[in-house]
Amino acid sequence: QVQLVESGGGLVQAGGSLRLSCAASGIIISVNAMGWYRQAPGKQRELVAVTAGGGRTDYTDSVKGRFTISSDTAKATVYLQMNSLKPEDTAVYYCYGRVRALRSEDDYWGQGTQVTVSS
C-alpha cells in the first residue's frame, strides 16, 4: 500500500512564504511524477505544479514566478516552496503521485494540508 503524507501547511500573511513537503512510502518501484493540486472552497481542484522524469516541471499560470516545485527522488519526496503568497492562494493543497508499486502504476493522493493566506 502506497501512502503520501503531506506537511507544512498553515496560516501566513500575504507576501509571506510556506514550504510544503510530501513523502511517499510503501513498496515503491518508481515514482514517475509528483505534484501538488489545490482546492479552494466552492471551486474545483486545480493543478498547481508537477514534476516528472527528466526534471520536467509545469506550473499553473497564477503561481509562475512565485512557487517552485522540487523533488528528492531517493526519498520519494516532493516539495513546494511558495513565496509572495496571496489571499487567493488559500486552499487545501493535495499532494499527488504517479507511483509504480509491485503490481501496477497508479495515482495516489495525500490527505490534504490547509494553506490560509490572510490579507
Side-chain angles (χ1 to χ4, degrees), residues 23-106:
S25 63
I27 302 177
I28 297 171
I29 305 301
S30 63
V31 178
N32 298 321
M34 291 191 83
W36 296 91
Y37 284 69
R38 67 185 178 187
Q39 188 166 18
K43 295 188 177 181
Q44 290 188 332
R45 189 175 296 191
E46 65 169 351
L47 173 70
V48 177
V50 64
T51 182
R56 291 179 294 120
T57 59
D58 193 21
Y59 299 89
T60 192
D61 287 345
S62 63
V63 308
K64 287 180 180 177
R66 299 188 297 122
F67 292 10
T68 303
I69 189 169
S70 60
S71 63
D72 184 331
T73 304
K75 296 182 179 179
T77 299
V78 65
Y79 307 95
L80 186 68
Q81 178 66 43
M82 305 185 292
N83 299 327
S84 302
L85 282 160
K86 303 176 181 180
E88 51 264 44
D89 295 317
T90 295
V92 178
Y93 283 69
Y94 296 91
C95 177
Y96 156 81
R98 177 159 293 174
V99 178
R100 177 167 292 281
L102 279 178
R103 296 177 183 264
S104 63
E105 180 182 85
D106 293 292

Side-chain angles (χ1 to χ4, degrees), residues 12-33:
V12 65
Q13 289 188 332
S17 298
L18 283 174
R19 188 183 192 224
L20 305 183
S21 300
C22 172
S25 63
I27 302 177
I28 297 171
I29 305 301
S30 63
V31 178
N32 298 321

